[in-house]
Amino acid sequence: MPSKHNKTEPQLTRRDFIIKTATVCSASAVVGLWGYAFYSNDPVRRQDTKIFTFKDYRVEDVKTYPNLAVSRGTDAEKMVRAAVDRIGGITRFIKPGERVLIKPNVSWDRQPEQAANTNPEVVAAVVKMCVEAKASVIWVTDVSVNDPYRCFARSGVEDAAKKNGGVLKFATENDFVQTDLKGKALKVWPVSAFFHQVDKLINIPMVKHHSLSKCTMAMKNLYGVLGGQRNRLHQDINTSIADLAAAIKPTLTIMDATRILMRNGPTGGNLADVARGDTIIAGTDIVAIETYGLSFLDLKPENIPYILMAEQRGAGTTDIKSLNIAEISV
Amino acid sequence: MIKKLLSLKNIRLLYAAFFLVLFIVLVGITSFRSMKGYQVALFLELDPLVALSSFLTSWTVYKGLSLSLIIIVGTMIFGRFFCSWICPMGIINQIAGNIFNKLRAVDLIKMNAYRVLYRFKYYVLALLLVLAAFGTIQTGLLDPIPFITKAFAVSVYPAVNYWSGGFYLKQPVFQGGFLLAVIFIAVLFANRFINRFWCRSLCPLGALLGLLSFKPLLQIWRDTTKCNDCMKCVQNCHGACDPHASLRTSECMVCMNCISDCPENAMHYGLPKDTSSVHAPLDVNRRRLIETAVFGTIMFPMMRSVITSKTVSQHSVIRPPGSIAEGDFLRRCIKCGECMKVCPTNVIQPALLEAGFEGIWTPILLNKIGYCEYNCVLCSRVCPTGAIVPLTVEKKIGKPPAQKPVKIGIAFYDRGRCLPWSMHTECIVCEEVCPTSPKAIWFQDVEMQMRDGTTKVFKRPYMDPELCIGCGICENKCPVRDKPAVRVTSIGETRSLVNQMSLKS
C-alpha cells in the first residue's frame, strides 16, 4: 500500500535549477558583502560628534562712548533704557534682522521680591528694546537649577518675555551640544545649543551672595549656558568662572542691581536677606561690571580670585578707576 | 432619520467618547503648567468604591469624594451605567475588545454569554471591603479608576513623552513603571479571549455597582410577545447579562446595544410592561462569599504582623509633604498616582516593597531622581483621598519661629563619600542649593596638609538637623552621583510622633 502522504516533488527543470542556483549565489553574495561592509574592530560604532566653539558676540568697540553706564532710580525700564542709551543705544549692539539671545539669571523657583533671579522688569525692558531694534528672533533662556518651568513662571520672567515679544527657550536633554571652551578647568562641555544659533548675546545677571565664590554676578551667570554635571565645577569654581568669562564674550552686559541678595545666596528665600540696590549697570567689559558690582556686597576684587584670573586672561579690567563711567539718575 | 441617529446606543457612544477624552485630558493636565485649578482628580472622586473603602477605613467621606454620591444614586435609578458610559477603564477595554474580536455571530454570542466566572468580582469586592473595614485600604490595586490613572501617569504618558518629547523637559522615569505597563497591557489583551474580561470578572467597582443596581428604577426589558429568540441581542452585549433570557440586572452595563440590535423591536429601556420578561437575581454563592470574608478576617492580622512602614519606621519611606501619619496614610492612599504625575521634579515614585506589601505603589520620594521643590505643594493639591492634605506654600515652608516648616525627613552626611570630608576637595554644592533661609547646611573652613606637603584650605559641610526639612535637593545635586554623599532619611518627619530622634522636636 502506498504512503498516505504520497505527493511528490515536481521534477527540476533546467530553468528552475538555474534560477535556484542564482538565488543562492546572490544571497551568499549579500551575506558576504554585509560582513565586509560592517566588519569592525570596535564593538560599537562611534559617530564623530561635532564639537562647537563659541562665537565672539561682541560688536566693535567705540571709544567715544563711556565704558560703563550706571543709572540709578526706581523705575527699572527707564533705568535700563537710560544706561543702554548712554553707551550708544541698543542699535549700536543689535542690527535689524539679527538673532538675539537674552540670558537672565533664572536659576531658582523664587518670586521676584526674594531676589534670587533677575528682576522681570529688567528682562521686559531688554526684550522691548530688542523688539525696537528689529531683531528677527528674541530668545530668553537659562539652564535653571530648580525645575525650569517653575523657575520661569514664578520668577515672572516668563510673563515679562512673552508679553513683550520674546520667546522662551527651555533646553531639553537633546538641546545640548558638545562645545570646546578651551579653558583650564572647562574643556569640552555640553552647552545649550541655543547659544550657537544666535548672532548676539545679552547677559542680564543680578548681584547675589554666594558662599563658595563669595558673589555671583555677570561672570557666574554664564554658568547657565552649561548642561551636564556642572555641579562638579564647584571643585575649582574660580578657574571655572574665569574659563567661562574667557570663552564667552557677550555683546552687552546689563547688570540688574535693583535688588541685592546680601546673604544666604544664591538661593535666598527670606525677604530679610534682600537689600535695595536701585541700580542698573550696562557695558561691554564683563570684568569691569563685575568689579563695580562688588561694592554692593562690600567686597574687594583682590579677595575674589576668579575676577583676577579673568583679568589675567584678558576678559576685561578690574581697574575701574581708570575707566570712563557715566553716572545717570533717572 | 434623526430619531434613528439619536438612539440610546449612539447617545451612550457620545458620552463614552466624551468621558474618555475628558479622562485623558484631566490626567494630561495634571502638571504645574496646565493644572490651573481644574478638578483633575474628578474621576477618582466620582468613584464610589474609593469613597466607600476610605469611609470604612477612617469613617469620613472626604471632601470631593462626596461627588461619588451622584454615581451611587444614579446607579440606583439608571442601573450600572457607569461601566460603559463613564468609566475610562471600561471604555478602553471595550475598544480593545472591539479591535481584537472580529468574530462570526455565533462565536460572538458564545463570547458574550454569561459565565459563572463572572461571580468572581463579587468575591474580590467582598475581600477588599472586609480588609477596608479592618483598616487597610487595598482597593487601589484593583479599583479601575485608581488603576488606570496610575497606569496613565506612570506608564502611558512617560511612553508618549519618549516618542513625542512634548510634555515635559525631562523624560519622566518611574521605578517599576514597566511592571505597571505590562499589567495594563495584559488586562487589555485579555479582551482577546473574553471580551471585557476585567470588567466582567475582576472589577470590584463593577461588583459594587452591580450590587447597587440589583433593582434599579429603569432597566432594559424584553417583550416576550415580540421576541423570536434570534439571540442577536447577545452579540454585542457589554455586560454578558443574558438579555435574550432572564436579564441579569447586576451584570447589565446599560450599553443599549441589545435595543439597537433587536430586529423585532422587542427590547426597551424604562419601566416594565405586562409582557416584559422576568429578570434574574444576583448570582453569587453565599458559601463562597462567607469563605471570602473569613479569608479576609484571617489575612488582616497576618498583614499587620509583618514589617511595614507602619509597624517599624522605614528610612526610605519618605512621603510627600502634607502626608498624614503613616498608619492613617495607609488607610487613605489608594495608589492612584496623581501625586506622581503632578510632581515637577519626578521625585515621587511608586513604592515597591519599601513600605511593605501593604504599601506597594504608594508614593515615596527617591531623591536620586528628583527632589522636593521648596515652593511647590502640587501633590497635596491633587490627592483625592486626603492621604496628603492640602498645603499652602506658607504652611509648607513655615514662618519661624512661630510656625515650623513641614519636614519630610533629615539629610545626613556620609563622610566616607563626601568630597571635602574624604577627598579634601572644595565642593559644597549641597550648601549652594539648600533652599531654606538660613540654610540648613553650613560649613567650616578647614586647613589641611596634603600628601605632597602643601596646605590646602577648603570648606567642609555640616547639617543642622533643626533646620533641615528633608527636601533632598542636596542629595539630588551631590556630584557623587551613584550613591550621594548626603542622603535624606525619613527620621524627624513632621507627621510622625515616633519617627523622631531629637529631644527638641
Side-chain angles (χ1 to χ4, degrees), chain A residues 108-111 114 144-154 158 162 168 170-173 209-212 214 220 228-229 231-232 234-237 264-270 273, chain B residues 32-33 165-171 344-345 371 373-378 393 397 419 425-439 443 459 473 476-481:
Chain A
W108 309 99
D109 175 11
R110 300 279 198 216
Q111 287 166 325
Q114 295 172 316
S144 309
V145 180
N146 287 156
D147 176 57
Y149 285 151
R150 287 188 65 93
C151 292
F152 274 88
R154 290 183 31 101
E158 179 164 352
K162 281 186 178 166
L168 277 195
F170 291 106
T172 69
E173 286 158 55
H209 160 259
H210 191 280
S211 307
L212 196 56
K214 297 193 175 69
K220 188 160 183 302
Q229 215 191 330
N231 49 14
R232 283 189 294 162
H234 266 221
Q235 292 160 32
D236 195 353
I237 199 165
N264 214 48
T267 53
N270 194 335
D273 302 329
Chain B
F32 166 66
R33 279 176 50 102
F167 296 141
Y168 313 96
L169 290 175
K170 253 171 70 188
Q171 169 67 31
T345 71
Y371 57 92
E373 190 79 72
Y374 189 57
N375 287 311
C376 172
V377 290
L378 293 172
V393 175
I397 66 180
L419 297 180
T425 327
E426 192 76 278
C427 183
I428 62 162
V429 176
C430 45
E431 193 267 356
E432 178 186 26
V433 294
C434 182
T436 61
S437 178
K439 287 171 187 284
F443 54 81
K459 295 177 168 61
I473 192 170
N476 185 253
K477 305 285 182 191
C478 178
V480 191
R481 282 177 76 130

Side-chain angles (χ1 to χ4, degrees), chain A residues 151-303:
Chain A
C151 292
F152 274 88
R154 290 183 31 101
S155 66
V157 172
E158 179 164 352
D159 272 354
K162 281 186 178 166
K163 283 193 183 141
N164 296 299
V167 175
L168 277 195
K169 294 295 272 184
F170 291 106
T172 69
E173 286 158 55
N174 303 327
D175 288 322
F176 289 93
V177 292
Q178 294 295 330
T179 304
D180 191 357
L181 286 108
K182 297 174 188 146
K184 286 177 184 153
L186 281 173
K187 294 189 165 68
V188 177
W189 271 84
V191 163
S192 159
F194 307 137
F195 288 87
H196 299 308
Q197 296 163 357
V198 293
D199 305 310
K200 294 288 154 65
L201 171 63
I202 301 180
N203 184 17
I204 338 182
M206 64 166 308
V207 184
K208 289 197 285 183
H209 160 259
H210 191 280
S211 307
L212 196 56
S213 60
K214 297 193 175 69
C215 56
T216 159
M217 287 186 274
M219 283 154 73
K220 188 160 183 302
N221 190 34
L222 299 174
Y223 253 58
V225 311
L226 300 176
Q229 215 191 330
R230 65 182 188 197
N231 49 14
R232 283 189 294 162
L233 302 183
H234 266 221
Q235 292 160 32
D236 195 353
I237 199 165
N238 289 307
T239 318
S240 308
I241 298 176
D243 283 350
L244 281 167
I248 308 171
K249 300 186 170 66
T251 317
L252 175 63
T253 299
I254 302 171
M255 188 146 77
D256 161 28
T258 51
R259 297 189 186 93
I260 317 284
L261 187 63
M262 303 296 288
R263 285 172 296 280
N264 214 48
T267 53
N270 194 335
L271 293 184
D273 302 329
V274 180
R276 295 298 310 188
D278 292 330
T279 310
I280 295 283
I281 306 127
T284 50
D285 184 335
I286 196 167
V287 179
I289 291 178
E290 194 94 357
T291 312
Y292 192 96
L294 290 176
S295 59
F296 293 104
L297 296 166
D298 298 324
L299 295 167
K300 297 254 167 341
E302 303 85 88
N303 302 328

Side-chain angles (χ1 to χ4, degrees), chain B residues 181-195:
Chain B
V182 168
I183 297 175
F184 185 53
I185 289 167
V187 164
L188 294 188
F189 193 68
N191 291 296
R192 165 76 183 71
F193 306 101
I194 296 180
N195 193 30

